[in-house]
Amino acid sequence: MAIASFMVPLGTPAPDFTLPPVGGGPAVSPGTFADAPALLVVFLCNHCPYVRRVEKALGEFTADYAAKGLATIGISSNDTVQYPDDDAAHMREQAERAGFTFPYLLDETQEVARAYRAACTPDFFLYDADRRLAYRGEFDGARPRNDVPSDGATLRAAADLVLAGKAVPEPHTPSLGCSLKWKPGNEPG
């Protein structure tokens, strides 16, 4: 069953965290990219058909926009006991398949997803230079059962504005995807 993102209020500060990337290397936090003029935090997973539908375009988008100064962090917060296709090994396979060049992190405790109020996969949070939420919503209009090309058009338009120091006018179309797979007792209240 598809659910929409919670639409966290614009201007909300980016919650801090530190997690290790599944591909190895030093732990990553929003502060890792303190000099970037914008930061995208996206909640993903390997098994969700909504993510699968846009993952290659997401890899292309993030590579294109890295050259413009956008830093990206991908996070998977799903319960890997109940959803083993979302574990670290499968995340590494996904990153290679989709061309992800950004750090892809596993949020085993689900604390980061709760702090960001992530609801679904994919769920996009775009922060400005001051790390205030400037956009939350869809990547583009592509969905598993439609023929809309996945090109990241909606997020590209938002990122262009944020990188130019401008506000992203509302309304923002919520992201739509699979619900985050919470461990028992971790569901948001």
Side-chain angles (χ1 to χ4, degrees):
M1 181 173 105
I3 68 162
S5 51
F6 288 133
M7 303 306 281
V8 174
L10 294 179
T12 298
D16 198 22
F17 63 86
T18 301
L19 294 170
V22 294
V28 174
S29 72
T32 303
F33 304 101
D35 294 336
L39 174 67
L40 176 65
V41 177
V42 55
F43 289 84
L44 304 164
C45 72
N46 178 56
H47 88 274
C48 172
Y50 290 85
V51 174
R52 290 274 182 124
R53 176 75 164 82
V54 302
E55 68 185 5
K56 285 192 187 307
L58 177 61
E60 292 167 4
F61 163 79
T62 56
D64 290 348
Y65 276 72
K68 298 178 182 186
L70 176 67
T72 301
I73 299 172
I75 301 173
S76 181
S77 298
N78 278 355
D79 177 355
T80 59
V81 172
Q82 296 298 316
Y83 296 86
D85 285 349
D86 292 336
D87 67 12
H90 288 94
M91 289 170 64
R92 286 190 295 274
E93 290 173 11
Q94 179 188 23
E96 185 164 328
R97 176 182 71 237
F100 295 166
T101 55
F102 51 83
Y104 198 6
L105 317 175
L106 181 58
D107 175 24
E108 292 185 83
T109 66
Q110 301 183 316
E111 290 174 12
V112 178
R114 287 177 58 88
Y116 276 76
R117 297 196 61 225
C120 57
T121 57
D123 210 352
F124 298 89
F125 298 84
L126 179 61
Y127 295 88
D128 63 18
D130 297 324
R131 297 306 180 255
R132 299 282 180 180
L133 187 62
Y135 172 80
R136 71 288 192 246
E138 70 177 7
F139 181 64
D140 58 28
R143 304 289 184 265
R145 291 184 183 91
N146 72 22
D147 294 328
V148 173
S150 184
D151 57 8
T154 310
L155 187 56
R156 284 177 188 271
D160 287 340
L161 289 167
V162 172
L163 289 167
K166 298 178 181 173
V168 182
E170 292 201 75
H172 299 174
T173 302
S175 190
L176 186 68
C178 298
S179 64
L180 222 100
K181 306 309 182 203
W182 298 102
K183 294 177 181 181
N186 278 359
E187 303 87 352

